[in-house]
Amino acid sequence: SWATALRVIRSQPTAYDSDKIVEQLEEKVKEINDFCSATYEADIFVDTRREALLEAIEIVKGGNDEVQI
């Protein structure tokens, strides 16, 4: 059944380097911050992207219990 298949998939170990992913996401946040500092601009799209990246970092670190995959 689908439920069994989903349980099997969810039970598999994670196959990525979470530290490397966090490092890459933090670099993207830094690029956004540098852009805002250099241009003195911040708009809702830039702020939204920054917030999404910061939330992604927390998810990868395991700090968001609300995420259900």
Side-chain angles (χ1 to χ4, degrees):
S1 76
W2 281 104
T4 302
L6 187 57
R7 272 196 309 276
V8 170
I9 291 169
R10 286 185 175 169
S11 70
Q12 299 304 307
T14 304
Y16 60 86
D17 181 349
S18 59
D19 291 334
K20 185 67 174 172
I21 292 172
V22 168
E23 181 181 310
Q24 291 172 349
L25 292 170
E26 287 173 340
E27 180 59 32
K28 292 294 182 188
V29 171
K30 182 183 178 312
E31 289 173 12
I32 290 171
N33 291 339
D34 290 348
F35 169 80
C36 291
S37 294
T39 62
Y40 301 104
E41 280 189 35
D43 60 34
I44 193 162
F45 299 110
V46 173
D47 289 339
T48 301
R49 183 167 183 205
R50 180 184 13 238
E51 291 303 315
L53 288 168
L54 292 171
E55 186 171 342
I57 289 168
E58 289 304 310
I59 291 168
V60 172
K61 288 180 174 179
N64 190 337
D65 295 332
E66 296 178 18
V67 176
Q68 304 258 335
I69 300 176

